[in-house]
Amino acid sequence: MRSNLALLRTRSVPPARAPILRYGVAILSTALALIPALFLVNVVESRLAVFAVAVMVSAWYGGWKPGLVATAFALTVTAYFSLTGNRTPAEYRNAIFQLTLFIFVAVLICWFNTALRSAQEGLRRSEGNFRSTITNAPYGICRCDASGRILDVNPAFISILGYSSTKELLGRHLGTLYKDAQQWFQLADCFRSLQEFDELAAEWVRQEGSTTLVRISGRRICDENSKTSYELFTEDVTERRALEQQLRQAQKMEAIGRLAGGIAHDFNNLLMVISGYSEFLLEYLAPGAQLRTPVQEIANAAQRATSLTGQLLAFSRKQMLAPRVINLNSVVTENVKMLNRVIGEDIELKMIRGADLGAVKADPGQVEQVIMNLAVNARDAMPYGGKLIIETANAELDESYARLHVPVKPGKYVMLAISDTGSGMDAETQSHIFEPFFTTKGLKGTGLGLSTVYGIIRQSGGYIWVDSELGKGTTFRTYLPLSTETSDPVSLQPEIAGESGRGTETILLVEDESNLRQLIRQFLEKEGYVVLDVSGGSAAIQLANAHAGPIHLLLTDVIMPGMNGRELAQRISFLRPTTKIIFMSGYTENVIGYSGTLEDSMILLNKPFTLPALKNKVREVLDSEPLPREITSAPIELDKATDVVEETPSIRAHRFNLHIPLRYRPVDQQSWRKGITENISRSGLLFRAEEILQLDVQLEINLVLPVEIAGLAATEVFCLGQVVRRVDSGELKSPALATKILKYQFPQNSYQPQA
């Protein structure tokens, strides 16, 4: 076998020869053969041999057609000399035999040369195609000997290492390409095993000194002399490894965030109990009491723990935000004076405002916290002074940027960059800086500053990246999506009113944490309210059905086992439309808001809250004007049938024999059952149910009323019904239930039939 890869040479397959050239060679070869033939007039065998050589040359160069032309010319000349003149019969027979034999041999020569030429052309085409594949392959291909000396390479291999020509690599030892020589011995061990190997990782040094990560596969090959060499196939995985690292980092941050959010949720309930009972004790202890100081320390510790859980919720992106359409230039400008006092006089503060800066939708208070935390970190990185630069600019992140920065989505953003000339960070530190409780400041650092920044930016729909190098400073770049909105959203929570009076209303309190529920009940009863407390949603619905008097307010936790606070509020509003609602939570898991943004008209008390704040909020909501429920409609007069084709007696609503699928469930249960109507009117329906239900049981029913009942268009409705009788159909597994409709409710997003 040759010592280099012949298929990697740059020579090309010769083009097909022109017909005029092929036939010209045939004519020339036979014409040249005619010269000795004229001198061999009486030597027929010699003349035929000369012409056979001419036929062979013609067929080899031009193919079988020029070969046949040369055969015909040679046959004509030979026949002229062999058959003209006075010949005996024996001579004629001998001449004809020789000519026949010549024709057979000439045809055989043409066939053989044509087949040989075709095989050579096929081999050249195959060689050219294979050479093109190797040359244009995106993977680096290299051949080396048993000692690791490079024998040949393809262009991709040269490109991976940053060289310009094959000569720069030929003869080099593979071990010289490794950043860490120990990695070469892994490849050498694979060579010695004489087995194929796959996906061997290596870090190679490029010509300019940078490193690249490659994945190597290879195999052993032997030539006819049993000389061993190796073929290596390399893939540059530098970009892929970087993306994998970013993905692993994002997954790690998400997992830590879930854990932090869950801990903060449970911890908030405990803090409420601690701080609440501390307030009780402080209220009853005289100013000079001996125990007042320890109780005050407990309250102060609870307050510090409250701040800690707030930072954890910010990192886990579970805090509730009050976003507004803002201009980052305005927010940064408002904070510059305060930053000057925070960072000190030995640090120069410079602001670079972007021109025509776009608006973003974010919580201004949270953005200020981002700026403050990043500025404080920059100050700590410059203990001997330096420069702090705050820059804003419009930015458009394209597909190529998003491909290298998982999980960025391409689009238009507004950038906020904070740079310092401090000590910088190495790669290992950069991989941990956004993790909670990771700090490089020793005992004086909490490790929650940058994790809070990370959570705020991600919850606001943006991204944050860090660029840092030891001794050269650090730059944090945050990208917030460009907003097209012009109006500000509803604020998160109205300002707490001043001192409120006592109350007498009835409050339904739903809280799964028993200690916290007992604390809130004691406080509200002390303020004069009648409190009905339960631990879960199902019990609250049963109590709402059984309670004879009014329920003025539902005070419910958001995250509870079984039925969450939002679903409970919807079902209570269904049963008691005039009941007002306050949610309590420090960790909503997007149950009452999307991506941590509170929905319009919803009122939330963020745990842990103080008892005076609870008192004021309850009084404020009870004294407020009732808001129209978006899913509630006025009760329909049940016994008046309108929009009916034919007149019906006034004593009974018009009924339609329609088989309409529906869902139903008892009001104290959570899971839906399926049924189908047998007849239906505006005041009641008869439907086939899954099981037998007791009389007077109240049901929630969901179905789509057809046009003939609803009026202008098919409409989805939720009904509150009461079972009045069971119709005996002989099918116990699927009984028919007659149900009176007590109330209709229409969802905000009404049903639209498909065209």
Side-chain angles (χ1 to χ4, degrees):
M1 182 175 289
R2 290 168 292 186
S3 61
N4 55 4
L5 296 178
L7 297 183
L8 299 181
R9 297 174 186 168
T10 57
R11 64 184 179 87
S12 59
V13 179
R17 300 180 177 96
I20 188 172
L21 182 60
R22 293 188 286 117
Y23 286 102
V25 170
I27 294 173
L28 179 61
S29 61
T30 51
L32 292 176
L34 183 62
I35 296 174
L38 295 176
F39 297 98
L40 301 172
V41 175
N42 297 321
V43 185
V44 179
E45 293 80 0
S46 299
R47 186 172 59 244
L48 290 177
V50 172
F51 280 123
V53 172
V55 171
M56 182 180 297
V57 172
S58 301
W60 177 82
Y61 187 83
W64 65 274
K65 289 182 179 180
L68 290 181
V69 171
T71 300
F73 182 82
L75 183 63
T76 301
V77 173
T78 304
Y80 173 79
F81 286 111
S82 300
L83 300 178
T84 55
N86 296 323
R87 299 280 191 256
T88 63
E91 290 176 338
Y92 274 110
R93 286 194 298 273
N94 187 44
I96 291 174
F97 174 75
Q98 289 176 343
L99 292 175
T100 303
L101 182 60
F102 175 76
I103 293 173
F104 176 76
V105 172
V107 171
L108 186 63
I109 289 172
C110 290
W111 174 82
F112 178 78
N113 280 278
T114 301
L116 179 61
R117 183 175 179 274
S118 177
Q120 290 176 335
E121 289 293 337
L123 181 61
R124 277 195 292 269
R125 283 194 298 270
S126 176
E127 181 181 345
N129 292 336
F130 186 59
R131 185 189 308 111
S132 176
T133 300
I134 298 298
T135 302
N136 299 315
Y139 301 101
I141 302 175
C142 161
R143 202 172 90 167
C144 64
D145 59 19
S147 65
R149 297 287 175 184
I150 297 176
L151 302 177
D152 211 343
V153 294
N154 74 334
F157 192 92
I158 300 171
S159 177
I160 289 174
L161 292 172
Y163 290 90
S164 57
S165 66
T166 305
K167 295 180 180 179
E168 295 177 279
L169 288 171
L170 294 183
R172 286 190 59 175
H173 194 278
L174 284 172
T176 62
L177 302 179
Y178 283 84
K179 180 180 180 181
D180 183 2
Q182 293 296 327
Q183 290 185 346
W184 153 250
F185 295 110
Q186 298 178 8
L187 182 60
D189 291 339
C190 293
F191 284 176
R192 282 193 295 270
S193 68
L194 305 181
Q195 301 293 327
E196 292 187 7
F197 55 92
D198 294 311
E199 299 186 357
L200 185 65
E203 188 174 9
W204 285 356
V205 179
R206 292 169 54 86
Q207 184 185 30
E208 73 277 9
S210 64
T211 59
T212 181
L213 295 174
V214 295
R215 188 170 59 188
I216 307 173
S217 301
R219 62 172 184 165
R220 181 177 70 100
I221 55 177
C222 293
D223 59 13
E224 59 273 10
N225 298 322
S226 299
K227 187 177 180 180
T228 299
S229 59
Y230 296 89
E231 287 182 347
L232 303 181
F233 306 90
T234 60
E235 179 185 6
D236 188 347
V237 295
T238 305
E239 180 179 316
R240 183 183 303 176
R241 288 292 176 86
L243 294 177
E244 290 175 355
Q245 182 64 26
Q246 291 180 18
L247 179 59
R248 282 194 295 268
Q249 182 72 6
Q251 291 173 337
K252 179 176 67 175
M253 300 295 284
E254 183 67 24
I256 296 175
R258 287 179 179 273
L259 176 63
I263 292 173
H265 169 250
D266 293 336
F267 198 42
N268 273 330
N269 286 337
L270 298 176
L271 285 176
M272 276 293 303
V273 176
I274 296 171
S275 61
Y277 281 111
S278 297
E279 291 178 31
F280 270 146
L281 291 173
L282 289 173
E283 184 177 349
Y284 287 109
L285 290 173
Q290 184 178 1
L291 292 177
R292 186 173 182 85
T293 300
V295 173
Q296 185 64 56
E297 288 300 322
I298 294 174
N300 294 341
Q303 184 62 35
R304 290 194 296 270
T306 299
S307 176
L308 176 64
T309 56
Q311 290 176 304
L312 286 175
L313 286 172
F315 167 73
S316 61
R317 307 192 296 281
K318 301 302 180 185
Q319 62 180 349
M320 295 304 296
L321 301 179
R324 292 194 292 114
V325 178
I326 59 175
N327 186 285
L328 283 182
N329 281 341
S330 301
V331 176
V332 174
T333 302
E334 292 175 1
N335 284 267
V336 166
K337 292 182 179 180
M338 180 174 58
L339 288 178
N340 277 321
R341 293 193 299 268
V342 170
I343 62 178
E345 297 179 354
D346 57 343
I347 296 178
E348 177 187 354
L349 177 60
K350 182 179 180 181
M351 180 179 176
I352 303 175
R353 297 176 178 86
D356 300 324
L357 196 68
V360 298
K361 189 173 183 180
D363 188 320
Q366 300 295 333
V367 174
E368 290 177 359
Q369 186 175 354
V370 167
I371 297 171
M372 181 60 65
N373 285 355
L374 292 178
V376 169
N377 269 9
R379 178 201 64 189
D380 294 341
M382 298 182 288
Y384 305 108
K387 181 182 291 187
L388 175 63
I389 302 173
I390 303 178
E391 180 183 2
T392 59
N394 294 318
E396 184 167 356
L397 306 183
D398 55 16
E399 292 284 352
S400 60
Y401 184 90
R403 183 166 52 87
L404 297 175
H405 297 79
V406 177
V408 171
K409 296 180 180 179
K412 294 183 178 181
Y413 295 83
V414 177
M415 181 196 72
L416 170 64
I418 297 182
S419 306
D420 64 67
T421 57
S423 56
M425 297 177 286
D426 57 22
E428 178 65 20
T429 302
Q430 292 179 49
S431 66
H432 296 286
I433 56 174
F434 294 122
E435 297 175 9
F437 307 113
F438 177 82
T439 179
T440 58
K441 302 175 185 178
L443 297 177
K444 70 175 183 177
T446 63
L448 287 172
L450 288 178
S451 63
T452 302
V453 169
Y454 174 85
I456 292 172
I457 295 300
R458 294 293 289 120
Q459 190 172 2
S460 301
Y463 308 96
I464 181 168
W465 299 99
V466 58
D467 295 316
S468 184
E469 188 174 347
L470 282 174
K472 296 185 179 180
T474 301
T475 298
F476 285 92
R477 291 184 177 87
T478 65
Y479 296 92
L480 292 173
L482 186 69
S483 176
T484 58
E485 296 184 23
T486 56
S487 60
D488 290 347
V490 178
S491 61
L492 172 65
Q493 192 170 304
E495 292 293 331
I496 298 296
E499 186 66 25
S500 301
R502 294 175 58 83
T504 59
E505 292 87 349
T506 300
I507 299 175
L508 176 56
L509 171 63
V510 187
E511 170 61 59
D512 60 313
E513 179 65 38
S514 59
N515 292 332
L516 179 57
R517 186 173 68 252
Q518 182 179 0
L519 169 68
I520 296 175
R521 175 172 182 164
Q522 289 177 1
F523 176 74
L524 292 176
E525 287 179 342
K526 174 176 167 294
E527 295 298 321
Y529 297 100
V530 177
V531 181
L532 310 173
D533 66 310
V534 291
S535 61
S538 298
I541 293 175
Q542 293 178 358
L543 182 57
N545 278 319
H547 185 68
I551 297 178
H552 301 91
L553 177 68
L554 170 65
L555 182 61
T556 178
D557 191 15
V558 175
I559 304 298
M560 297 183 295
M563 186 184 303
N564 63 54
R566 177 166 188 158
E567 186 175 0
L568 171 63
Q570 290 175 340
R571 298 182 70 173
I572 291 294
S573 297
F574 188 62
L575 296 173
R576 294 176 176 265
T578 59
T579 300
K580 298 175 181 179
I581 299 167
I582 297 178
F583 294 102
M584 305 179 295
S585 186
Y587 176 77
T588 65
E589 192 60 49
N590 294 338
V591 172
I592 64 170
Y594 178 72
S595 295
T597 303
L598 195 66
E599 296 182 0
D600 295 350
S601 75
M602 289 186 174
I603 300 173
L604 174 68
L605 269 173
N606 281 307
K607 292 181 181 177
F609 47 81
T610 64
L611 295 180
L614 171 63
K615 171 187 172 181
N616 293 333
K617 179 57 64 178
V618 167
R619 191 68 258 158
E620 176 188 328
V621 173
L622 288 173
D623 293 339
S624 65
E625 292 294 328
L627 295 175
R629 303 290 182 189
E630 60 185 19
I631 63 171
T632 304
S633 66
I636 297 177
E637 296 183 11
L638 302 179
D639 293 330
K640 292 183 179 180
T642 57
D643 299 330
V644 183
V645 177
E646 56 183 85
E647 295 183 1
T648 58
S650 60
I651 60 174
R652 187 175 181 181
H654 183 72
R655 291 189 174 273
F656 299 86
N657 293 323
L658 297 174
H659 299 282
I660 302 173
L662 57 81
R663 300 187 303 161
Y664 72 95
R665 64 183 178 188
V667 293
D668 59 344
Q669 297 183 16
Q670 189 172 0
S671 59
W672 291 94
R673 281 89 158 173
K674 293 182 180 180
I676 188 168
T677 65
E678 293 192 346
N679 59 63
I680 182 173
S681 73
R682 294 188 175 184
S683 61
L685 56 88
L686 179 68
F687 71 94
R688 189 72 60 179
E690 289 186 354
E691 77 276 86
I692 299 175
L693 296 177
Q694 299 297 323
L695 298 181
D696 296 330
V697 170
Q698 290 190 356
L699 304 175
E700 293 180 63
I701 303 171
N702 171 228
L703 75 162
V704 178
L705 293 179
V707 177
E708 53 263 47
I709 300 178
L712 297 177
T715 305
E716 182 183 18
V717 296
F718 287 89
C719 314
L720 179 63
Q722 183 177 3
V723 179
V724 295
R725 71 178 184 278
R726 293 191 297 270
V727 179
D728 187 9
S729 62
E731 299 180 19
L732 296 180
K733 292 184 178 180
S734 182
L737 302 177
T739 304
K740 178 176 66 174
I741 302 300
L742 303 178
K743 182 171 59 178
Y744 282 100
Q745 292 180 339
F746 296 85
Q748 181 182 17
N749 299 322
S750 58
Y751 172 77
Q752 296 294 334
Q754 295 182 352

